[in-house]
Amino acid sequence: MKIFVKYFLVLALTIMACSPAVAQVTQKQQELRGEVETKTGKKVRLFHSGTQDVKKTICIGDLIPVYREVYAYGAIKKTEVGKVKILSYVGEHYLEAEIVAGKIKTGDVAQKESASCLVHPAPDED
């Protein structure tokens, strides 16, 4: 019986000691999967196809709704999760935008009329 109690005590202490490390790993995994939400005031990059249709539809200064597609009960549900304001064009396939409302994740879709853009985190400015 004493051996069982000692084994249980060591096991409990080990679990308590490892708990913070597991939480940190989980946060890092969320960042890698793009599950961390970006809040109002942060900048994001919007990936687009680079076609003239996108460039005609989306202009600098536009407020564009952002949607998240969630698979639920055998169907894909599209819900609005925020809005972004277009700040500038970055290269051929990206737009820089600022989140003005909501909580947006990597992989959400900003859509205006027929033009859609995939949300990516903005690179860190050093």
Side-chain angles (χ1 to χ4, degrees), residues 2-54:
K2 287 183 178 182
I3 294 174
F4 177 73
V5 171
K6 287 180 183 179
Y7 177 73
F8 184 75
L9 184 61
V10 170
L11 180 63
L13 290 173
T14 304
I15 290 172
M16 289 189 324
C18 293
S19 294
V22 172
Q24 291 173 354
V25 170
T26 304
Q27 177 69 20
K28 187 64 175 174
Q29 288 173 342
Q30 286 179 337
E31 289 174 7
L32 292 174
R33 290 185 201 141
E35 295 175 358
V36 175
E37 292 179 332
T38 306
K39 298 180 182 175
T40 304
K42 299 288 185 174
K43 291 184 181 179
V44 292
R45 293 273 172 101
L46 305 177
F47 176 77
H48 63 87
S49 63
T51 62
Q52 287 299 325
D53 183 43
V54 173

Side-chain angles (χ1 to χ4, degrees), residues 1-2 12 16 21 28 48 62 69-70 73 76 87 89-90 96 98-99 105 108-109:
M1 184 68 174
K2 287 183 178 182
M16 289 189 324
K28 187 64 175 174
H48 63 87
D62 284 351
E69 295 179 348
V70 179
Y73 304 111
I76 295 176
L87 300 176
Y89 283 93
V90 180
E96 186 170 57
E98 180 180 358
I99 299 173
K105 292 182 180 181
D108 289 344
V109 178

Side-chain angles (χ1 to χ4, degrees), residues 43-92:
K43 291 184 181 179
V44 292
R45 293 273 172 101
L46 305 177
F47 176 77
H48 63 87
S49 63
T51 62
Q52 287 299 325
D53 183 43
V54 173
K55 292 178 182 179
K56 288 179 186 175
T57 304
I58 299 176
C59 302
I60 295 174
D62 284 351
L63 284 177
I64 300 177
V66 179
Y67 300 94
R68 183 171 300 138
E69 295 179 348
V70 179
Y71 182 79
Y73 304 111
I76 295 176
K77 183 179 178 184
K78 182 177 170 181
T79 57
E80 186 173 331
V81 293
K83 291 186 182 283
V84 294
K85 180 179 180 181
I86 304 301
L87 300 176
S88 65
Y89 283 93
V90 180
E92 290 291 318

